[in-house]
Amino acid sequence: MREPTLNTSPSPGDEAKTTTCYMCACRCGIKVWLADGRIRYIQGNPAHPVNQGVLCAKGSAGIMQHYSPARLNKPLLRVGERGRGEFREIEWDEALQLATDWLAPIRARNPDELAFFTGRDQSQALTGWWAQQFGTINYAAHGGFCSVNMAAGGLYTLGGSFWEFGEPDWEHTRYLMLWGVAEDHDSNPIKLGLGKLKARGAKIVAVNPVRSGYGAIADEWIGIRPGTDGLFAFALIHELLRMDRIDLEYLVRYANAHWLVIRAPGAADDGLFARDADGHVLCWDGRAATRADAIDISPVVVGECTLPDGRVAVPVFQLLAERYLDPQFAPDAVSERCGIPPDTIRRIARELAAAAFDSKLSLPVAWTDSWGREHAEMTGRPVSMHAMRGISAHSNGFHTCRALHVLQMLLGAIDTPGSFRYQPPYPKPIPLPNRPGKARRPDGTLDAGPLGYVHGPEDLLVDADGQPRRIDHAFSWAYPLAAHGMMHTVIRNAHAGNAPGAGGQRIDTLMMFMANMSWNSAMNTGETIAWLTDKDADDNYRIPRIIYADAYASEMVAYADLVLPDTTYLERFDAISLLDRPIADADGVADAIRHPLFDPATQAEGRDVRGFQSVLLDLGARLGLPGMVHADGSPKYRDYADYIVRHERAPGVGLLAGWRGVDGEAHGKGAPNPEQLQRYIEHGGFWREELPESARYYKMANRDYLRWAQGFGFAASDAPIVLQLYSETLQKFRLAAQGHGPVQPPDAHRQRVATYFDPLPIWYEPFEHDQTSREAYPLNAVTQRPMFMYHAWGSQNAWLRQIATRNVLYLHPDTGAKHAVADGDWIEVGSHHGRITVQAKFASNVQPDTVWSWNAIGKRKRAWALAKDAPESNQGFLLNHLISDVTPRGDYANADPVTGQAAWFDLRVSIRKADATGTSQPQLPALAFAEADERPLRYGARLRNAQFHSKAAPEQPRRKPRP
């Protein structure tokens, strides 16, 4: 018998092209190997600063994302009832003319009648600018239901935040706490970092009700009850204060611990900082009030003082100590609520202090602070923290995020060696100077971007009666600091505002991009579907028109009137911009691009798709929007690639920072360079510049860093950024609620604002966790994103589906016994809002009062080109059916009262054994999308062995022939 000829060293392909992955928000560098013009395989790019060659299952499976049978191939116009998924294909000229005909009258009449909301687009530098040029205040991206608590909590406290805008000092930290961190965002850099920590013997503590992924390799797992992280943080703060294990010198030098706060209950200036005649904040040196930013002083941090004008004031640190030394925050007092033994809390506090103060870490690097003082070394505090959605997706998440930052500051662990580190372009001034746009200029554009940072009540978007102007109610008295908008409220409010006699805002067109708001991105999925399809007495849809753009046949496509098909990430240009979601690291600044590896027309017969960013610019030109047309009305930009190169947000500042200037020799700021994109392509698709060694720590008060950042356009000046233990911005809102100032809340909101706008972090029960809810629904329910999938995309990917094609509800064996549920039983899960039927599975990696599942695996029948018997549709499920978009009382959105972030993880449920088995419930009618081919999807057979070098036509994924 002849032995087969084997190629033991096959070439990866004919050529490799470098670009940026899009399979999650990590934005890793990848090499896409091609053979005869088709993808051979995808590997990590070892030269890329984000992942250094590491690639996860999602990134490798990008082949099947590009060749997904669910790809949209032509513009679609609805022909049946909205929600059924019945369309006819049309050409781009007709699609763009329709969109123009719908949008032009809106801009002429009232631009706010367009609600433009985008999902995980990573191009908000364009989409937000486009909305500003259109003139609508009704724009937001997905951060309102994703991460605004994290962003706002950090940016109003320390000018930066967790998530993708800061990182632990992986090289030097000796103690890492992960708070509510799942495995989806920033996963490859975290994996690289955790490997360094494990190799060095640093301790890793995971605080999460579920132990998976990173938590599984942690040295200690703290199985906390959901929504109590802030209480746990306060208990740690209590212990550090009680033991006098805090970095007081750091707090005075870099934070506002010594700033004087007026103590005058009932007065209009109560709780505001004491200032001199020139507006400078004051401190007390034991004899007199002096400028708090003066050097060579020894300010008092405890006790009262009397100012020359007779007012009484106390330092911020005094207020902080009074609050958190209170016995209500002692470990014994919070233990039962958090589900953490008091001795564990005390031990963690001791370990944090020992790691921070007993390590004697210092780096022999000379640096100069903002006041000109020279330092021979950089003193370290090797305690790091990283946090994500597990702490932010609660109605108390904003204050929990602030609590963690206060804990870090007390340890001196913000941007010191071994601690949490800022990633450029952060830190930013507190609060950021860009306020949300409110008024329109004569040319119809907004006077600022539609999103921004509120400095006080005067910045809110409310009318003369204090009612919200925006369709999502962001920047209103109900949710004042909604810096990312509130995407999760748009559909309810649009439906209600267009109902007779509702008296709310009315919109004409809802335009959305990559936002699966009829399914896994909807709180209250069932009613959301009803709002999208509801009609008035004249048989007209209450939301008159819906334009939707996506690359795939998601559930939301079925609810659009006009569908604009996007490309895959391998068919377009993208800018991973410092103006958007940056990919810099703490030691350097970086940005990147994607560029087309394929012409979409060559990827499937009849395929005619366009990148949504280019479509937006085309639409803008057709509408004659300022900045998108020349004086003669002709388009200013050819497409998005042209916009990336030539658009300037400010003189010399564009979407990309590398290779600027006519000759391409400038970086950061410089004139547009016509060859810029080609330079990126030649350099692996990214640009990076190292920070000077003297500028890498203490960025908030490091002269070298701040001057460097000013030169790059990250900040208007090189002034130091003072960390805010106490937030005067929040106190301004509290004073307004108490009846002070020219802009005050309506009576209905006064108590709410006065309660939750505390200038020091507070903890309160999540809104769905009151005593009545806890008794009726005794269990917490949360979701986590698996490392191998991201949002809804992964579970349509043929390779990733082999890892998991359905989800189950995990519960602790003790929980099953308590509720008479056996392993594998089908159970009915109920909330105050709804009921679902799912299969239960025992797992010991969960806090016993919590049940959990993987997120976004359940699918609507016939969506995503899945076969009719796909497990995702028949056995998979969404917890979203149980999550209300409003509080149990129905008075506000189910959201944080400060920022409006969706409180996904406040969900309380009950469980009982179900009568029916085998199929998850609810089961909605199948969409009328084309029926999927049920044969197995194959790819790559023609690339193997002898056929590898054949010159056949480019291969598409093929179904295995039926017998």
Side-chain angles (χ1 to χ4, degrees):
M1 181 172 132
R2 283 184 60 191
E3 292 293 324
T5 301
L6 300 177
N7 183 355
T8 56
S9 299
S11 169
D14 301 331
E15 62 175 329
K17 294 187 177 183
T18 52
T19 187
T20 304
C21 187
Y22 196 52
M23 295 296 289
C24 78
C26 210
R27 293 153 294 158
C28 296
I30 54 174
K31 284 186 174 182
V32 181
W33 285 89
L34 306 176
D36 291 336
R38 54 192 186 265
I39 305 175
R40 178 71 168 114
Y41 88 111
I42 299 175
Q43 70 174 131
N45 179 1
H48 199 278
V50 168
N51 58 316
Q52 301 165 43
V54 173
L55 200 63
C56 66
K58 299 187 297 293
S60 301
I63 296 174
M64 303 311 284
Q65 205 76 10
H66 174 69
Y67 288 125
S68 168
R71 287 181 305 181
L72 300 173
N73 289 315
K74 296 270 285 187
L76 302 173
L77 183 64
R78 179 175 58 81
V79 295
E81 290 294 309
R82 190 186 285 172
R84 284 188 47 79
E86 297 172 338
F87 298 95
R88 69 174 175 88
E89 291 186 346
I90 60 175
E91 302 302 322
W92 274 102
D93 283 345
E94 181 180 357
L96 290 169
Q97 188 60 53
L98 269 173
T100 304
D101 291 344
W102 293 353
L103 297 179
I106 294 174
R107 190 167 197 274
R109 182 175 63 240
N110 176 10
D112 294 340
E113 291 182 20
L114 169 65
F116 179 27
F117 286 74
T118 70
R120 206 215 91 193
D121 61 322
Q122 297 181 5
S123 57
Q124 294 168 35
L126 168 67
T127 55
W129 177 78
W130 192 95
Q132 180 182 359
Q133 304 313 105
F134 189 89
T136 180
I137 60 173
N138 290 317
Y139 162 85
H142 81 296
F145 64 60
C146 180
S147 61
V148 70
N149 270 340
M150 193 72 69
L155 289 168
Y156 280 94
T157 306
L158 47 91
S161 73
F162 296 121
W163 217 265
E164 297 141 4
F165 313 121
E167 63 180 335
D169 188 346
W170 301 112
E171 300 296 334
H172 299 106
T173 194
R174 300 179 187 179
Y175 199 100
L176 172 67
M177 292 191 77
L178 297 170
W179 296 76
V181 178
E183 291 80 55
D184 51 347
H185 282 70
D186 212 26
S187 59
N188 288 330
I190 290 177
K191 282 182 273 187
L192 285 165
L194 292 177
K196 293 176 180 178
L197 266 59
K198 298 293 282 188
R200 271 206 330 274
K203 182 168 183 178
I204 303 169
V205 178
V207 182
N208 198 317
V210 178
R211 186 172 197 177
S212 65
Y214 309 139
I217 66 166
D219 299 283
E220 183 170 359
W221 171 49
I222 306 292
I224 197 168
R225 288 193 174 99
T228 65
D229 303 79
L231 203 53
F232 178 31
F234 290 151
L236 295 174
I237 290 171
H238 176 95
E239 285 296 288
L240 292 174
L241 291 169
R242 186 185 63 79
M243 296 185 296
D244 195 21
R245 295 280 269 169
I246 59 173
D247 193 337
L248 199 55
E249 181 180 351
Y250 179 97
L251 293 175
V252 170
R253 182 166 287 182
Y254 304 116
N256 64 353
H258 58 302
W259 289 14
L260 290 177
V261 178
I262 302 299
R263 182 172 267 180
D269 58 356
D270 180 47
L272 299 180
F273 294 129
R275 290 178 165 85
D276 63 19
D278 296 320
H280 300 114
V281 178
L282 300 173
C283 69
W284 189 258
D285 67 2
R287 299 182 306 277
T290 187
R291 282 179 54 168
D293 60 351
I295 61 173
D296 299 326
I297 59 172
S298 298
V300 172
V301 295
V302 293
E304 283 190 347
C305 66
T306 302
L307 300 174
D309 60 10
R311 293 180 300 171
V312 173
V314 295
V316 163
F317 186 80
Q318 170 76 29
L319 299 175
L320 184 146
E322 288 175 357
R323 173 162 296 178
Y324 303 121
L325 280 172
D326 190 292
Q328 67 173 310
F329 296 122
D332 291 288
V334 308
S335 171
E336 183 177 355
R337 186 71 196 90
C338 295
I340 305 172
D343 287 346
T344 298
I345 298 173
R346 284 187 278 267
R347 174 176 54 79
I348 296 293
R350 290 195 301 271
E351 290 175 356
L352 287 171
F357 303 121
D358 299 342
S359 64
K360 307 305 180 187
L361 172 68
S362 68
L363 302 182
V365 178
W367 67 288
T368 304
D369 65 31
S370 293
W371 301 274
R373 292 174 294 204
E374 296 181 351
H375 304 262
E377 61 183 11
M378 292 179 165
T379 302
R381 294 285 181 256
V383 171
S384 291
M385 297 187 186
H386 189 63
M388 285 180 58
R389 190 177 294 104
I391 68 164
S392 70
H394 290 285
S395 52
N396 59 16
F398 172 81
H399 279 288
T400 295
C401 294
R402 289 205 72 222
L404 293 189
H405 294 315
V406 169
L407 174 59
Q408 292 170 291
M409 283 189 270
L410 291 177
L411 293 166
I414 298 291
D415 217 54
T416 52
S419 73
F420 167 87
R421 302 183 68 190
Y422 295 109
Q423 295 174 336
Y426 300 96
K428 297 280 192 178
I430 306 172
L432 273 74
N434 54 306
R435 295 168 165 89
K438 300 176 69 172
R440 278 186 281 273
R441 305 184 182 105
D443 64 359
T445 62
L446 280 182
D447 57 356
L451 300 179
Y453 295 87
V454 166
H455 291 212
E458 67 279 3
D459 293 331
L460 294 181
L461 271 74
V462 293
D463 63 19
D465 297 321
Q467 299 304 309
R469 289 177 53 201
R470 286 176 52 111
I471 192 68
D472 59 355
H473 297 182
F475 308 117
S476 71
W477 284 107
Y479 324 98
L481 305 189
H484 291 171
M486 297 177 62
M487 194 167 185
H488 44 293
T489 66
V490 170
I491 293 172
R492 171 189 278 272
N493 293 346
H495 172 268
N498 288 347
Q505 303 95 328
R506 300 175 65 86
I507 67 164
D508 178 278
T509 298
L510 174 62
M511 185 162 70
M512 307 189 90
F513 173 49
M514 279 184 56
N516 202 11
M517 298 304 295
S518 70
W519 198 245
N520 60 279
S521 291
M523 306 171 90
N524 189 358
T525 307
E527 277 194 283
T528 299
I529 289 172
W531 296 326
L532 290 167
T533 56
D534 191 28
K535 294 183 177 182
D536 61 22
D538 297 323
D539 204 36
N540 297 315
Y541 288 110
R542 293 203 189 278
I543 302 176
R545 295 187 180 95
I546 299 176
I547 301 172
Y548 185 61
D550 206 326
Y552 305 99
S554 68
E555 286 86 355
M556 186 61 201
V557 166
Y559 294 88
D561 304 308
L562 176 64
V563 179
L564 306 176
D566 192 20
T567 64
T568 73
Y569 69 102
L570 299 178
E571 300 170 318
R572 66 166 179 260
F573 275 102
D574 272 336
I576 295 87
S577 172
L578 287 161
L579 301 180
D580 208 328
R581 299 177 71 176
I583 57 166
D585 58 85
D587 290 330
V589 62
D591 59 18
I593 66 166
R594 297 185 186 92
H595 61 101
L597 308 189
F598 304 102
D599 177 351
T602 68
Q603 299 304 290
E605 186 176 352
R607 183 165 168 78
D608 189 7
V609 300
R610 299 181 185 180
F612 180 64
Q613 295 95 332
S614 291
V615 170
L616 263 190
L617 291 166
D618 189 343
L619 264 177
R622 291 167 183 256
L623 293 165
L625 299 186
M628 295 182 220
V629 291
H630 294 294
D632 63 359
S634 60
K636 186 173 182 179
Y637 301 107
R638 181 182 65 254
D639 53 20
Y640 187 45
D642 191 34
Y643 174 89
I644 291 172
V645 171
R646 294 199 297 112
H647 177 75
E648 292 182 278
R649 195 54 52 91
V653 177
L655 267 71
L656 295 174
W659 297 289
R660 300 194 66 81
V662 176
D663 57 2
E665 297 301 316
H667 297 289
K669 296 173 72 173
N673 170 19
E675 299 299 318
Q676 186 181 38
L677 292 176
Q678 186 58 36
R679 297 292 293 274
Y680 271 83
I681 293 170
E682 292 166 359
H683 287 80
F686 68 92
W687 164 84
R688 183 177 185 273
E689 181 173 305
E690 289 267 331
L691 285 173
E693 188 178 29
S694 63
R696 295 185 181 181
Y697 293 95
Y698 297 95
K699 295 185 181 75
M700 63 282 187
N702 183 313
R703 188 176 66 184
D704 287 353
Y705 175 78
L706 291 167
R707 289 180 177 176
W708 176 90
Q710 184 183 18
F712 261 77
F714 297 160
S717 77
D718 64 353
I721 296 162
V722 181
L723 310 181
Q724 302 291 299
L725 292 162
Y726 178 101
S727 173
E728 190 179 55
T729 298
L730 297 179
Q731 180 63 14
K732 289 177 182 178
F733 279 92
R734 173 172 275 188
L735 288 172
Q738 293 170 350
H740 300 292
V743 182
Q744 297 179 23
D747 289 343
H749 298 302
R750 285 186 186 273
Q751 187 58 48
R752 175 181 169 96
V753 173
T755 299
Y756 300 114
F757 277 73
D758 196 303
L760 287 171
I762 58 174
W763 185 84
Y764 49 90
E765 287 277 6
F767 294 154
E768 202 171 319
H769 291 197
D770 59 31
Q771 186 65 33
T772 301
S773 295
R774 290 206 304 271
E775 290 174 358
Y777 304 101
L779 299 171
N780 300 288
V782 298
T783 59
Q784 297 230 134
R785 289 215 176 99
M787 194 175 289
F788 53 86
M789 290 182 184
Y790 186 75
H791 288 273
W793 284 22
S795 47
Q796 61 130 347
N797 185 294
W799 290 353
L800 299 179
R801 290 184 69 216
Q802 296 178 54
I803 302 173
T805 57
R806 57 161 302 190
N807 54 330
V808 294
L809 190 70
Y810 294 106
L811 55 150
H812 195 281
D814 293 348
T815 307
K818 183 176 180 180
H819 294 271
V821 171
D823 189 18
D825 277 353
W826 285 79
I827 61 174
E828 183 181 279
V829 187
S831 72
H832 78 88
H833 178 69
R835 289 204 163 353
I836 60 175
T837 301
V838 303
Q839 191 172 24
K841 185 67 179 173
F842 286 176
S844 297
N845 66 334
V846 58
Q847 192 270 335
D849 294 326
T850 303
V851 297
W852 73 280
S853 186
W854 295 124
N855 181 56
I857 288 181
K859 294 283 182 285
R860 181 90 177 262
K861 286 185 184 296
R862 298 273 286 276
W864 303 94
L866 297 178
K868 66 177 184 297
D869 60 347
E872 289 90 344
S873 299
N874 288 331
Q875 287 86 37
F877 64 91
L878 296 176
L879 280 180
N880 305 52
H881 293 291
L882 300 178
I883 302 173
S884 175
D885 65 308
V886 295
T887 63
R889 292 191 303 181
D891 49 353
Y892 289 97
N894 182 12
D896 188 291
V898 180
T899 68
Q901 172 162 344
W904 299 99
F905 290 171
D906 282 4
L907 180 62
R908 301 284 300 190
V909 300
S910 62
I911 60 173
R912 69 173 184 84
K913 188 173 180 179
D915 299 327
T917 61
T919 304
S920 61
Q921 297 294 333
Q923 286 287 326
L924 276 63
L927 299 173
F929 293 163
E931 188 168 354
D933 190 333
E934 297 190 33
R935 293 174 293 180
L937 187 65
R938 304 181 67 208
Y939 180 79
R942 296 178 65 191
L943 294 168
R944 288 197 296 267
N945 298 328
Q947 295 179 337
F948 176 71
H949 291 292
S950 70
K951 301 299 181 181
E955 178 184 26
Q956 301 293 324
R958 295 184 299 156
R959 301 288 180 176
K960 184 177 179 180
R962 289 193 176 100

